[in-house]
Amino acid sequence: MLKADMTKYCTAAALAVRTFITGSSNLNNYGAGIRQIGTDLGLRLDDLDNLKKTRGSWLGTMVDFLGTARVTAVYQLIANGDKKPASWGAAPNAAQQSALNIQKQTDVYNTFKRFATLWNGGANPHPKWQQEAGATGSGTKQALEALAARAAANATGNCGETSLLAYLLLATLPRDGKYQAAYTAAHDLTVGWYDGSPFDHAYVIVSNRGYATDKNTVASYCVCDAWLGRAYPDLLSDLHYGGTNLQDVKQSSPAMPELKVGTYAYASTGDDLTKIQGVTQILHSAFLDELAKL
């Protein structure tokens, strides 16, 4: 497939996941309140230079953008039963007022609650995405399918979860019915789930013959970054890997190897299979919708 068409497929997959994972994990999907906080801090949340500063974990990204003082104040609210602590006094300072604004954004505030244990009083402000997703040591297809289904159910995902969803979207793309044309055009593509070390970020690489073969030919592969909801024509050293050695880019899990589009076989059974199939069916439909716009 030509680079231009490959980029369209990667963009459509990234956007399909981003529009489905509607929580604040995706920087362009912040609600009005959190965007106002960003404006107050002088941030342009859709600016590429700011996107390059993101971490793979949701909590780490919040700390990077909002600052430790504001995130600490959010957790002070949570620890006090969602009420303003008496120690704040009558007039909240800037960080405390930001926390009160964040509290009004229910999805964002509830996601902070999910990671209260990881925050650990500020001792672990930048967890790895594997820690945050509870995926440390997960090595089976069933466990990773369950992780993807849970992220979809929570409508909040970090880079590992969103890229896993993009991988599953493309790896399970149906070949019949309304998907026939898209599948026919893309069925020779290879899709792989990758991350970079030591930089904390995960993504999908789509290639003509597999990334190991195509990595020296930029025209033959494309990066699908569902965490940021966009495609990249090449790996960026300050976003997708640490910037010192491109060899640090590796497949995220041997349980999810590189596959041709549409050739993935589910490992889950029973209700778990129903859940992950339902998630991918929704993503497939969203993918077609996004592809039609490009």
Side-chain angles (χ1 to χ4, degrees):
M1 178 179 282
L2 296 176
K3 183 81 167 187
D5 294 324
M6 191 184 298
T7 300
K8 287 182 180 180
Y9 273 72
C10 287
T11 301
L15 288 172
V17 173
R18 193 189 76 183
T19 54
F20 185 44
I21 302 294
T22 56
S24 60
S25 57
N26 297 291
L27 302 184
N28 289 331
N29 277 353
Y30 281 113
I34 200 85
R35 291 191 69 85
Q36 184 59 53
I37 295 167
T39 301
D40 293 343
L41 295 174
L43 296 175
R44 289 174 55 198
L45 297 181
D46 57 353
D47 182 80
L48 182 59
D49 288 339
N50 279 320
L51 295 183
K52 289 179 181 178
K53 299 174 186 176
T54 63
R55 295 174 186 264
S57 68
W58 186 94
L59 181 56
T61 297
M62 290 293 98
V63 173
D64 286 346
F65 274 114
L66 299 178
T68 303
R70 287 170 172 80
V71 174
T72 297
V74 170
Y75 281 110
Q76 289 172 344
L77 272 176
I78 292 170
N80 197 47
D82 305 324
K83 297 180 178 64
K84 187 172 67 173
S87 60
W88 283 13
N93 62 32
Q96 293 164 352
Q97 185 58 56
S98 287
L100 292 170
N101 292 341
I102 290 170
Q103 187 181 31
K104 298 175 183 177
Q105 307 301 314
T106 304
D107 289 343
V108 178
Y109 190 65
N110 285 342
T111 304
F112 275 110
K113 285 185 174 182
R114 283 182 55 206
F115 301 131
T117 301
L118 271 182
W119 172 253
N120 190 24
N124 190 27
H126 297 114
K128 294 291 186 181
W129 73 258
Q130 293 93 334
Q131 289 178 282
E132 193 177 76
T136 304
S138 293
T140 67
K141 288 177 71 174
Q142 293 96 324
L144 292 169
E145 287 173 5
L147 172 62
R150 189 189 70 191
N154 288 333
T156 301
N158 62 30
C159 71
E161 294 162 315
T162 52
S163 58
L164 175 57
L165 286 165
Y167 168 87
L168 290 172
L169 184 169
L170 292 169
T172 63
L173 187 67
R175 61 186 66 190
D176 300 316
K178 66 179 182 178
Y179 301 101
Q180 186 173 13
Y183 171 80
T184 299
H187 73 279
D188 284 334
L189 290 176
T190 300
V191 54
W193 185 30
Y194 281 83
D195 58 53
S197 176
F199 204 78
D200 183 29
H201 197 43
Y203 36 85
V204 166
I205 299 179
V206 172
S207 56
N208 282 318
R209 296 165 296 176
Y211 178 63
T213 300
D214 288 337
K215 64 183 179 181
N216 294 319
T217 308
V218 175
S220 293
Y221 71 86
C222 187
V223 181
C224 172
D225 196 329
W227 165 243
L228 298 177
R230 58 178 295 181
Y232 290 89
D234 199 358
L235 293 161
L236 301 182
S237 62
D238 51 359
L239 178 61
H240 300 119
Y241 67 103
T244 56
N245 188 356
L246 190 56
Q247 300 306 314
D248 288 336
V249 175
K250 68 183 189 311
Q251 293 188 53
S252 293
S253 171
M256 297 291 185
E258 281 195 317
L259 295 170
K260 290 296 183 182
V261 166
T263 62
Y264 183 87
Y266 294 103
S268 297
T269 58
D271 290 343
D272 289 338
L273 177 59
T274 300
K275 288 178 182 178
I276 191 59
Q277 285 181 322
V279 168
T280 54
Q281 286 170 6
I282 293 171
L283 291 176
H284 293 150
S285 184
F287 169 74
L288 279 193
D289 290 344
E290 297 295 344
L291 190 62
K293 300 174 187 176
L294 300 174

